[in-house]
Amino acid sequence: MSDYAPVNLSAPDQIEFELNRRRLAAPAGTMLVDAAYAHGVEVPVFCYEPRLGGPIGACRMCLVHVEGMRGLQTACSTQVQPDMVVRSDTDEVRDAHDGVLELLLANHPLDCPVCDKGGECPLQDRTFKFGPGKTQFVEHKRHFPKPLDLSSLIALDRERCITCFRCVRFSQEVAEDGHLIMRERGGDSEIATFTGDHYTGRFTGNVIDLCPVGALTSVPYRFVARPWDIKNTPSVCGHCPVGCNLELTEHEGHVARVTGRPNPNYSVEEGWLCDKARFAYPEDRAPDRVRQPLIRDAAATREVAIEEAVEAAALLLGRDGPHAFLLGPGATVEEGFLAQELASGPCRGALVAQLGLGDAPALAGLRAAPAAQLDDIDRADLVVLVGGDPANQQPVVELRIRKAVRGGGRLVSAGPRRHPLSGLGPSYITPPGRLLDGVRAAGPAFRAARRPLVLWDEADLAHEPAAAAELAGLLGATRGARQLELGADVNGAGLSALGIPGAADLVAALEQGTITTLLTIHAQPAESAGAARWAEALGRVGAVVALASHGGGIADSAAVVLPAATHREQEGVYVSMAKRAQRLRPGAAPPGGAAPGWELLIALAHRLGAAPAYRSPAATFAAAAAARPALAGLSYDVIGELGALLHAAPPATTNGAVGGGGADGTGLPLVTTLRIFGDAAAHRSDALSGVRQGAEVVLGAGEAERRGLAGAAQVRLQSPHGACTLPLRVDPRCPDGAVHATLGVPGAGVERLLAVDRSPVRVEVTAA
Amino acid sequence: MPQRHIVYLHREHPGDMAQLPEYVKAGGYNGLMKALADMEPDDVLYQLHRSGVRGRGGAGFPMGRKASFLPKDSPRPAYVVCNADESEPGTFKDREIMEFNPFQLLEGIVLAGYAIGSNHGYIYIRGEYEHQARVLDRAIAQAYEGGYLGSGLLRSRFDFDITLYRGAGAYICGEETGLLDSLEGKRGQPRLKPPFPAVAGLYASPTLINNVETLTTVPVIVAKGADWYATLGTEKSTGTKVFSVSGHVMKPGNYEIVMGDTSLRELLYDICGGFRPGHDFKACWIGGSSVPVLTAEHVDTRLDYESCETAGTYLGSAGCIVMDDSGCIVRSSLRLAHFYRHESCGKCTPCREGTMWMEKVLQRIVDGEGRMEDLELLESIMGRISGRVLCALADGAVAPIESALRLFRDDFVHAVEHGSPAREPMAPMGA
Ligand SMILES: Cc1cc2nc3c(=O)[nH]c(=O)nc-3n(C[C@H](O)[C@H](O)[C@H](O)COP(=O)(O)O)c2cc1C
Ligand code: SF4
Ligand code: SF4
Ligand code: SF4
Ligand code: FES
């Protein structure tokens, strides 16, 4: 992992010092280890990890000689001082490095040949570089039964642990879950959980990246590959709009592991990942993966060659229109742009829409306020969280908020649901439609703040225009205030930048029976908001062509299925909720006959006689950037390793349906919630089977009592749009005046209760 | 050789000094009354400075200087922490203070608090001192009742509270920053310094942390004046010091003597009654176990900080462990290695792994399975520990064993060749 903090060598106020007889400079406050590393000198470390807080000086690996100071100093905890004279290459320092390594290895099992870390192990590497060629240790080593399941995702080999405390500090001081502890003391110290139960949480897998030895390893990756049999590719996450930078490990043709980036993107994820992103990759090889092109008619479903499937799709799209193209939230900018190009060329007049929220007029004012990046959260003295549940929906944001609060910042939250961060500061729970009250309650906090930052939830505020306007007003009236959108859809911002609206018009057109062929691109309308209406509308379309990576839903009924690569298997651009364009790079090729969506769409254009001038994703993106002002100035080169910000606002669309208005229906207002391990990806990945979450209905104790549901195991929810039946949980801490239900769980059907534009609804709750 | 009782006032007084009225009758709380009536906090601080009193917990750092390191302008509250963890092998002097003269300690803590502008003191007492904790508990309750603790104590405008906190039996929780982490409810492990406790101690607030004996000296210094106090002892070692003498002497126990007045020989032969017939001095760890061992060559060393250093050791906590010629230095070294291995907190590599390794090698030698190169190996391991660790525990583990290996080399060579089998346990000694 990162190990050393980034150092800005061109910042003002550089301090001059001497290292190994070289005159060097670094900014004031820089730790010696970091300053040395920035100048190409590696002072070895194990416990030092600047992302975990201040140095703890435990491993003693980083000892150096500092002129004028008695004994050797830990370079991880010594800041550069003007004219400091430092040596990391004297005999005494070499003996110290050698000595600490010899001591670390005394009890280390040295079972490298059967250790997953072998080949990419800091302990191995540093021993090779700084360590003893030979040990004087002839005693019996410490033994533990091995390995233990620290959880269903992480294996713990206590013999290999070098007691660097990184994992414990992550748990205690970054995730703040308090689970991991060091038990016993001295040479008997061992990693354990406080309760003795599994280490569970939203971010546990980060300790695998942090561990400098093979003590904490990934269960799903266990014994899968050796480092010389893999290829690592930097990419970005496709599971939520935070857009965490990560690395994909390819082995035997598929993605076999996901890790944090060795060089974190400090403006985005800082090297952390949530467990969903880290362990969802087995979904690429799930049983329902679409591996071959399919053609379906009344008689049968046939696997065909890709040429034949594209031909068949072209035939359907070559008929008289109008056609319609529907993009899922995970479609790339390139896929969106190619769909638009089809609609302006061979399929002229086709409707192009996205399943995401698209452009909501109520949010225009908020989006126009000065925007922040994720690292600005660290520096805010006040974080106002309006709506949402970042811990479950944009998980890594949780770590930033915790960091801000640890650093002395205040958190005030307002919204319709209680969530894991509610306890970090004052929290106002408001019934749906009344978010304005919450915003007003949070208002006074602004006056005292100097660097307030508003995190607002796109989905919750899209239908609360009064709250959005109030918040925009507060932002405008407070100097130094900034805002960051908690987006609802993975690449919603990218598709909106192309000008692709929400799907209100498209579904209406389908219902009127006027659409000849519907092409879906990574879209599952019947599992999205308004599922009931979508199902009905889909029955009226002439034919469906589905570009999809997984079966189920539309892929099971489409006339033509084009097997598509997942976000881990294709090239493309996603725009994060902070409006940062970042590049997906394929970690592996898609399986079987599957192909990247951009390639399939270009092939389709060819077949339709409108071959575009470009044949690569880079060229496709370049064409999009030239044609769409919101993407102006961007290219793959400009985006590079760390991404680039969009500067222009996305065009306004005719997406007028999203807006205010009271809730439809009778009964209790519905509050939808999402659970981090409750979505389709988490349910498909066998790695996550131990932590995966289902759907439930939650009622406050008073509400359940009043409705005579206190004893009910299952309840039926009925809205004007549809109905579903789910298990009921009565939670005394859940506020009355609303019913809460989990969205996004495959097969649970809460989407049926909603309108296509996700506008507020009321539901009748009855025992089932 | 006269003993002089300043912190062991109870030995001078017939009554039960663990009862408030008796303590007051003996002149107790005169110092506090004087301070509250006539002295500014800075005056008290100055007296501490001027008295030259050095910390009695082991490191011997001048108390007044340490107290003056506390920032005066901190927005956070300041704390006094009394280190009553007393876990250094051979050291049992604080125990007697707490059991028989608890009010003088409480008075000292309040005075220290007054000097540094603190309103809250903590006593961190080692878990095994159950009885002493009960005595202190009762004394604290009596002090509150009598108006010697609490708000507006002794009708002044000064408030002071004392909280007693019991440790759970870890040597490392006597190390001041390990103690603070433990007191905060965390795993007791030393912190990286700086920041020092004076700047960021308990709850990251300015904290004065002192040993029981040090704090118990304070009321005397304030009542009788620093100049009087400094007439006792030598220039660099003022006042009295309690020596806890244990081991092969006829009369082990706590002895409070004026520093520099007495030699080790006088302490052992005159005060402690010498050795059993037929036996004589072999070795002594004068400052607890964490110091280099002394041989017969140094038996005339005077008992003060500077003379001990000249002799190649440290006065430390003055837990003086004595061994006569019936003892085996190799087995003692193994026992010490075992102690430090067992008590190492495990935070830093050289101590955690090194003490374990030292014990294993010594065990082999004692068991008769040693190799001659093991003596160099021991030196190599110790060389890779000392000066490279986070706290003084590991240096304390190296000091007695490194010196034993140097000063009693023949004994080690003999043990490598023949082992050092266990002997019959000895009958209890002493008067
Ligand atoms: C391993 C270790 C154990 C210690 N144990 C004690 C102890 O039990 N009591 C004590 O007063 N000081 C102990 N100390 C010393 C303290 O760290 C600290 O120096 C002392 O409490 C300061 O008080 P003083 O200045 O009054 O001596 C220990 C130090 C170390 C390194
Ligand atoms: S398990 Fe790994 S990260 Fe945790 S303390 Fe041990 S070596 Fe360090
Ligand atoms: S927070 Fe979002 S982008 Fe980051 S790793 Fe998790 S799912 Fe992926
Ligand atoms: S020297 Fe020993 S006791 Fe002190 S911090 Fe290191 S491991 Fe812990
Ligand atoms: S890296 Fe400096 S002590 Fe561990």
Side-chain angles (χ1 to χ4, degrees):
Chain A
M1 280 310 283
S2 54
D3 288 333
Y4 302 95
V7 176
N8 182 356
L9 291 179
S10 52
D13 304 327
Q14 301 271 322
I15 283 179
E16 289 203 11
F17 66 104
E18 194 188 304
L19 173 64
N20 300 344
R21 302 184 194 287
R22 280 164 67 203
R23 192 91 189 144
L24 303 170
T30 307
M31 289 300 176
L32 267 178
V33 276
D34 299 326
Y37 193 72
H39 287 289
V41 177
E42 182 184 355
V43 176
V45 299
F46 285 116
C47 68
Y48 184 60
E49 203 347 315
R51 294 177 300 150
L52 300 175
I56 60 167
C59 73
R60 317 306 285 179
M61 190 62 223
C62 62
L63 293 169
V64 293
H65 174 82
V66 179
E67 223 163 73
M69 293 175 96
R70 199 153 49 95
L72 300 177
Q73 305 298 315
T74 46
C76 72
S77 66
T78 308
Q79 296 182 353
V80 289
Q81 302 290 344
D83 299 322
M84 192 180 233
V85 177
V86 185
R87 295 288 301 271
S88 71
D89 57 358
T90 63
D91 287 346
E92 188 192 11
V93 172
R94 280 201 201 98
D95 182 64
H97 293 166
D98 185 80
V100 170
L101 281 163
E102 182 182 32
L103 287 160
L104 280 175
L105 295 178
N107 258 320
H108 195 78
L110 293 174
D111 52 354
C112 311
V114 293
C115 175
D116 269 334
K117 198 82 173 184
E120 48 185 22
C121 173
L123 180 60
Q124 269 185 341
D125 296 347
R126 283 164 203 163
T127 302
F128 202 68
K129 223 163 151 178
F130 301 97
K134 188 161 164 269
T135 181
Q136 310 174 72
F137 192 79
V138 296
E139 326 295 333
H140 288 295
K141 288 179 190 267
R142 174 174 83 148
H143 278 300
F144 282 119
K146 59 197 250 173
L148 294 184
D149 283 342
L150 191 60
S151 70
S152 59
L153 297 167
I154 305 169
L156 166 63
D157 184 319
R158 290 167 295 171
E159 292 180 344
R160 293 182 190 145
C161 172
I162 59 165
T163 324
C164 72
F165 293 90
R166 283 180 168 201
C167 55
V168 176
R169 290 168 70 211
F170 176 80
S171 164
Q172 302 285 340
E173 289 164 41
V174 177
E176 297 181 354
D177 55 42
H179 266 225
L180 283 187
I181 56 162
M182 191 68 81
R183 195 163 64 186
E184 302 298 333
R185 71 176 177 218
D188 298 328
S189 300
E190 53 172 301
I191 296 298
T193 57
F194 186 76
T195 55
D197 302 327
H198 273 186
Y199 178 38
T200 53
R202 293 177 283 278
F203 306 101
T204 65
N206 291 297
V207 300
I208 301 172
D209 288 348
L210 285 168
C211 184
V213 294
L216 297 171
T217 52
S218 157
V219 169
Y221 186 62
R222 207 168 154 74
F223 301 139
V224 166
R226 310 284 345 197
W228 45 91
D229 286 334
I230 60 175
K231 188 170 126 274
N232 292 328
T233 306
S235 189
V236 296
C237 178
H239 289 282
C240 91
V242 174
C244 295
N245 292 211
L246 45 67
E247 203 158 81
L248 303 169
T249 298
E250 184 257 11
H251 175 66
E252 291 181 346
H254 57 265
V255 172
R257 178 176 69 168
V258 173
T259 61
R261 280 239 191 134
N263 301 309
N265 189 333
Y266 288 94
S267 303
V268 186
E269 83 297 332
E270 247 194 318
W272 309 131
L273 297 180
C274 69
D275 282 359
K276 176 158 70 185
R278 187 182 297 272
F279 296 112
Y281 65 87
E283 70 164 337
D284 292 354
R285 295 200 295 157
D288 66 345
R289 182 71 201 262
V290 184
R291 289 155 194 273
Q292 297 300 336
L294 300 175
I295 294 183
R296 194 175 272 124
D297 56 32
T301 304
R302 287 184 297 128
E303 276 189 9
V304 297
I306 189 68
E307 293 76 14
E308 194 181 342
V310 170
E311 180 74 52
L315 223 56
L316 291 172
L317 289 165
R319 296 187 299 188
D320 283 346
H323 303 300
F325 304 153
L326 181 62
L327 293 135
T332 61
V333 168
E334 291 78 353
E335 289 166 329
F337 181 68
L338 287 165
Q340 287 179 317
E341 289 290 276
L342 283 177
S344 60
C347 305
R348 194 169 307 278
L351 283 172
V352 184
Q354 60 164 318
L355 274 176
L357 270 169
D359 168 47
L363 304 178
L366 275 171
R367 285 183 171 142
Q373 291 292 303
L374 281 152
D375 50 342
D376 293 318
I377 300 175
D378 300 358
R379 295 183 281 271
D381 61 345
L382 171 71
V383 177
V384 180
L385 176 56
V386 184
D389 171 5
N392 279 293
Q393 300 180 27
Q394 299 88 5
V396 159
V397 173
E398 172 182 350
L399 300 182
R400 289 281 188 185
I401 295 176
R402 290 189 182 277
K403 190 175 174 190
V405 173
R406 266 199 312 282
R410 249 160 62 77
L411 174 72
V412 177
S413 54
R417 57 187 83 71
R418 190 176 288 284
H419 53 75
L421 294 169
S422 303
L424 282 190
S427 163
Y428 307 99
I429 309 279
T430 54
R434 302 287 299 282
L435 193 49
L436 177 61
D437 301 349
V439 173
R440 288 203 170 128
F446 273 86
R447 264 173 247 132
R450 281 179 303 144
R451 291 178 311 280
L453 193 146
V454 175
L455 290 168
W456 55 275
D457 187 76
E458 181 190 10
D460 280 343
L461 276 150
H463 301 284
E464 301 256 12
E470 176 86 9
L471 200 53
L474 278 171
L475 278 162
T478 314
R479 264 211 9 231
R482 289 201 269 179
Q483 55 84 25
L484 178 56
E485 173 174 352
L486 296 171
D489 306 301
V490 176
N491 191 33
L495 299 178
S496 295
L498 294 167
I500 297 175
D505 292 348
L506 191 149
V507 72
L510 285 179
E511 276 172 332
Q512 282 156 21
T514 57
I515 301 292
T516 314
T517 302
L518 172 69
L519 167 64
T520 62
I521 301 166
H522 301 292
Q524 285 293 7
E527 287 163 24
S528 305
R533 189 170 167 208
W534 277 114
E536 171 106 13
L538 288 171
R540 305 200 186 176
V541 70
V544 175
V545 176
L547 187 151
S549 59
H550 288 85
I554 201 135
D556 289 355
S557 58
V560 180
V561 179
L562 302 174
T566 66
H567 52 83
R568 278 173 290 264
E569 297 162 346
Q570 76 161 326
E571 186 112 41
V573 170
Y574 275 172
V575 180
S576 78
M577 63 191 201
K579 313 297 175 279
R580 178 182 286 268
Q582 305 191 105
R583 281 182 61 190
L584 291 172
R585 290 179 180 79
W598 61 266
E599 205 176 308
L600 294 168
L601 292 170
I602 288 180
L604 203 49
H606 266 278
R607 284 286 166 192
L608 288 164
Y614 35 84
R615 282 151 192 261
S616 69
T620 307
F621 186 79
R628 303 286 180 264
L631 300 173
L634 296 180
S635 68
Y636 275 20
D637 283 346
V638 170
I639 293 173
E641 280 281 293
L642 297 175
L645 294 183
L646 263 57
H647 288 295
T653 61
T654 53
N655 195 18
V658 178
D664 274 355
T666 57
L668 278 172
L670 174 70
V671 175
T672 55
T673 58
L674 285 156
R675 304 173 100 180
I676 180 171
F677 303 121
D679 66 357
H683 279 249
R684 277 197 195 105
S685 163
D686 51 14
L688 288 168
S689 61
V691 296
R692 136 189 333 158
Q693 295 162 309
E696 60 180 10
V697 172
V698 186
L699 277 178
E703 212 59 74
E705 198 63 45
R706 207 164 311 133
R707 286 161 200 275
L709 293 169
Q714 299 258 338
V715 288
R716 183 181 145 85
L717 303 183
Q718 172 78 57
S719 85
H721 308 291
C724 68
T725 299
L726 288 173
L728 171 71
R729 183 164 62 85
V730 178
D731 182 350
R733 291 175 316 153
C734 176
D736 288 339
V739 56
H740 296 243
T742 322
L743 208 58
V745 178
V750 176
E751 288 73 10
R752 284 203 289 274
L753 304 173
L754 299 177
V756 168
D757 69 355
R758 313 185 202 182
S759 58
V761 292
R762 289 176 171 271
V763 292
E764 293 293 350
V765 189
T766 49
Chain B
M1 205 46 50
Q3 293 173 50
R4 182 73 184 259
H5 294 130
I6 285 183
V7 299
Y8 280 179
L9 206 61
H10 53 281
R11 292 195 178 179
E12 306 269 299
H13 200 271
D16 178 2
M17 294 265 280
Q19 299 299 331
L20 180 58
E22 293 295 324
Y23 178 64
V24 173
K25 229 191 309 174
Y29 283 113
N30 278 346
L32 183 57
M33 283 190 277
K34 178 172 163 192
L36 292 177
D38 306 328
M39 296 168 80
E40 290 298 317
D42 274 349
D43 300 336
V44 178
L45 203 56
Y46 178 69
Q47 291 294 312
L48 295 178
H49 233 302
R50 205 173 155 80
S51 73
V53 63
R54 292 169 67 165
R56 303 299 196 227
F61 195 83
M63 183 193 182
R65 217 159 109 217
K66 183 150 74 177
S68 66
F69 289 156
L70 272 82
K72 298 249 182 239
D73 50 359
S74 169
R76 293 167 165 277
Y79 296 105
V80 180
V81 174
C82 169
N83 188 341
D85 193 57
E86 191 162 63
S87 311
E88 181 69 23
T91 310
F92 42 88
K93 63 195 178 62
D94 298 343
R95 167 188 177 137
E96 186 173 335
I97 293 174
M98 292 186 282
E99 189 168 340
F100 298 105
N101 192 16
F103 288 101
Q104 192 175 331
L105 170 60
L106 299 184
E107 185 185 354
I109 295 173
V110 177
L111 278 166
Y114 184 70
I116 62 162
S118 159
N119 303 104
H120 203 146
Y122 288 87
I123 303 174
Y124 185 100
I125 186 168
R126 76 176 280 183
E128 294 88 337
Y129 281 179
E130 207 177 321
H131 174 62
Q132 289 72 17
R134 260 195 302 261
V135 174
L136 275 177
D137 233 356
R138 204 169 46 222
I140 291 170
Q142 286 185 13
Y144 270 107
E145 232 165 82
Y148 295 93
L149 278 177
S151 51
L153 52 89
L154 292 179
R155 281 180 288 285
S156 71
R157 274 188 288 175
F158 182 58
D159 308 333
F160 201 83
D161 290 301
I162 291 183
T163 307
L164 182 69
Y165 186 96
R166 289 184 59 197
Y171 175 52
I172 196 56
C173 292
E175 194 283 336
E176 54 188 15
T177 56
L179 184 154
L180 293 174
D181 262 20
S182 171
L183 191 52
E184 288 178 8
K186 301 180 187 143
R187 173 185 172 91
Q189 283 187 328
R191 301 175 181 171
L192 192 63
K193 290 184 266 193
F196 289 92
V199 176
L202 187 61
Y203 305 119
S205 302
T207 302
L208 176 66
I209 174 160
N210 275 116
N211 170 258
V212 169
E213 187 184 348
T214 321
L215 288 162
T216 306
T217 311
V218 172
V220 184
I221 295 172
V222 175
K224 300 200 176 179
D227 291 335
W228 172 84
Y229 183 82
T231 58
L232 302 174
T234 71
E235 190 196 335
K236 291 201 174 129
S237 306
T238 55
T240 61
K241 176 80 194 86
V242 179
F243 282 76
S244 304
V245 186
S246 63
H248 295 152
V249 286
M250 296 307 287
K251 290 193 286 175
N254 284 320
Y255 300 99
E256 183 173 358
I257 55 182
V258 173
M259 277 205 265
D261 275 11
T262 312
S263 70
L264 178 58
R265 182 187 299 279
E266 288 161 337
L267 176 67
L268 300 185
Y269 290 89
D270 302 342
I271 298 180
C272 294
F275 294 85
R276 295 172 297 172
H279 291 285
D280 206 353
F281 182 86
K282 171 159 185 177
C284 155
W285 293 265
I286 202 168
S289 65
S290 307
V291 298
V293 65
L294 287 181
T295 64
E297 187 193 334
H298 288 110
V299 76
D300 287 313
T301 301
R302 301 213 76 76
L303 299 177
D304 56 60
Y305 288 103
E306 48 285 26
S307 305
C308 285
E309 283 184 41
T310 310
T313 188
Y314 299 102
L315 186 66
S317 62
C320 179
I321 306 167
V322 189
M323 192 167 87
D324 70 17
D325 48 25
S326 70
C328 169
I329 200 83
V330 185
R331 290 189 77 81
S332 316
S333 298
L334 169 61
R335 186 64 189 79
L336 288 175
H338 171 77
F339 172 80
Y340 290 102
R341 195 274 296 152
H342 185 248
E343 295 295 341
S344 163
C345 82
K347 184 166 178 176
C348 67
T349 310
C351 171
R352 180 184 66 244
E353 306 295 336
T355 52
M356 170 235 36
W357 196 354
M358 282 163 66
E359 186 191 5
K360 286 189 167 167
V361 175
L362 282 164
Q363 183 71 58
R364 262 195 303 110
I365 294 175
V366 164
D367 291 346
E369 288 159 26
R371 311 165 301 173
M372 220 33 101
E373 66 259 38
D374 283 337
L375 302 184
E376 279 78 55
L377 175 57
L378 272 175
E379 278 162 358
S380 158
I381 300 169
M382 291 189 285
R384 295 188 146 185
I385 299 175
S386 59
R388 298 177 181 176
V389 283
L390 184 64
C391 87
L393 181 139
D395 291 322
V398 168
I401 297 173
E402 186 275 330
S403 54
L405 192 53
R406 187 160 35 81
L407 299 170
F408 295 94
R409 187 105 188 159
D410 293 348
D411 295 29
F412 281 87
V413 170
H414 187 270
V416 166
E417 283 162 354
H418 306 285
S420 176
R423 311 186 183 169
E424 286 300 299
M426 281 180 287
M429 304 203 314

